[in-house]
Amino acid sequence: MSWFEKLRGRRTGAGNRVVILSHGFGTDQDAWTSLRPWFEARFDVVSFDLAGCGPMGAESYDFERHGSMFGYADDLVELMDELGLQGCTYVGHSMSCMIGAAAASARPDLFEQIVMIGGSPRYLNDADYVGGFEQENLDQLFESMAANYQAWVAGFAPIVVGVDDREAVADFSRTLFQMRPDIALNTSRTIFESDMRQAVLRVATPVHLIQTSSDVAVPIQVGEWLAGAISNASLDIIDAAGHLPHITAPAEVIRILERRLG
């Protein structure tokens, strides 16, 4: 089975330039539903489910390979090489931002530009770096996931969505429940305990950063750090709340995409 098939790849759109849409933790490629028509009118659109996510997630996940963000980056590079893609626009949300950074630092030929929505290279506070979390916060999160995954999802989903949107909360809960609990726990450890700052410093590809003004997972200071660390970066902060603006505030995201991607 090809990587494209293994990751439930989908390819649509009328454009000549290729855009790759890569979702974040707890969702699948359907997270791009509101933005997809905009992309399809302008790009050749490639999307897929990250290992461990979506209806086939358990089949694509490897605890060793995907115990590191670089394992996901290997998935991305292998998929792009398999499809013969180069010079692409890459749009990543949350964990996929750092997957893109790792891939672009290793294979800059594959990327023309990168859009990072709600990305963070490190979630733990560190000296003069504000990540938003202390280790005890993460320990509590992992313990809650391990003790009762269903109860954890019920509390986690509305906090991350961050706005009063029952449909978005229900849909995010649904895709979280699609993940096998042990895979979800291991994935969350991989994300929250990683430090991708060195990989970010090696990114030479132009990067457009998008985040909301109030995000429980990613403080504004993280976006500002990324904008300063990446040699060719722009930062747009949406006057909205939540970690999923491509789902809860798609019109605002599209306005930024119109300006940045033209």
Side-chain angles (χ1 to χ4, degrees):
M1 183 183 291
S2 68
W3 274 105
F4 192 66
E5 294 170 320
K6 194 172 185 179
L7 299 177
R8 211 164 64 95
R10 182 182 174 198
R11 193 167 187 175
T12 58
N16 293 320
R17 294 183 298 159
V18 175
V19 66
I20 298 171
L21 306 180
S22 188
H23 65 86
F25 171 71
T27 61
D28 60 20
Q29 62 187 295
D30 289 343
W32 302 109
T33 296
S34 295
L35 300 188
R36 195 167 192 116
W38 185 88
F39 282 111
E40 287 178 334
R42 297 160 177 79
F43 292 89
D44 175 2
V45 183
V46 174
S47 65
F48 59 95
D49 293 338
L50 292 173
C53 301
M56 296 170 57
E59 300 171 35
S60 59
Y61 190 81
D62 181 283
F63 277 85
E64 183 175 351
R65 180 182 177 102
H66 300 111
S68 161
M69 297 297 286
F70 294 97
Y72 292 95
D74 289 342
D75 290 354
L76 174 62
V77 169
E78 289 186 37
L79 183 145
M80 295 178 74
D81 282 343
E82 180 180 277
L83 297 178
L85 304 179
Q86 282 192 327
C88 301
T89 295
Y90 175 86
V91 181
H93 170 245
S94 194
M95 68 179 288
S96 279
C97 298
M98 294 306 110
I99 294 170
S105 66
R107 289 285 304 278
D109 58 300
L110 298 179
F111 303 92
E112 179 181 12
Q113 56 190 339
I114 296 173
V115 177
M116 296 186 179
I117 303 174
S120 175
R122 179 181 167 95
Y123 291 87
L124 279 169
N125 298 323
D126 179 32
D128 58 351
Y129 172 84
V130 178
F133 295 86
E134 298 293 342
Q135 187 61 54
E136 62 188 46
N137 304 136
L138 299 184
D139 291 341
Q140 291 171 1
L141 181 146
F142 302 145
E143 289 170 10
S144 297
M145 291 183 75
N148 189 328
Y149 186 66
Q150 185 170 357
W152 175 80
V153 169
F156 181 75
I159 291 173
V160 172
V161 171
V163 295
D164 186 15
D165 187 331
R166 293 184 181 181
E167 185 176 347
V169 171
D171 200 48
F172 186 39
S173 300
R174 176 187 61 80
T175 51
L176 278 165
F177 281 129
Q178 265 188 157
M179 297 187 74
R180 212 171 71 192
D182 59 333
I183 292 176
L185 176 58
N186 203 59
T187 303
S188 66
R189 287 187 181 277
T190 299
I191 297 166
F192 287 110
E193 294 184 340
S194 65
D195 187 345
M196 300 296 291
R197 288 177 293 179
Q198 289 303 311
V200 165
L201 293 173
R202 294 193 297 270
V203 174
T205 307
V207 175
H208 307 295
L209 302 160
I210 301 173
Q211 70 175 86
T212 63
S213 58
S214 177
D215 183 340
V216 68
V218 184
I220 286 178
Q221 293 97 318
V222 173
E224 293 171 342
W225 185 92
L226 286 168
I230 299 169
S231 60
N232 189 354
S234 65
L235 172 62
D236 290 291
I237 298 175
I238 299 172
D239 185 17
H243 188 57
L244 308 169
H246 55 311
I247 295 174
T248 59
E252 295 298 320
V253 175
I254 286 173
R255 272 194 280 273
I256 295 170
L257 295 175
E258 289 275 9
R259 186 168 72 254
R260 297 300 185 186
L261 303 187

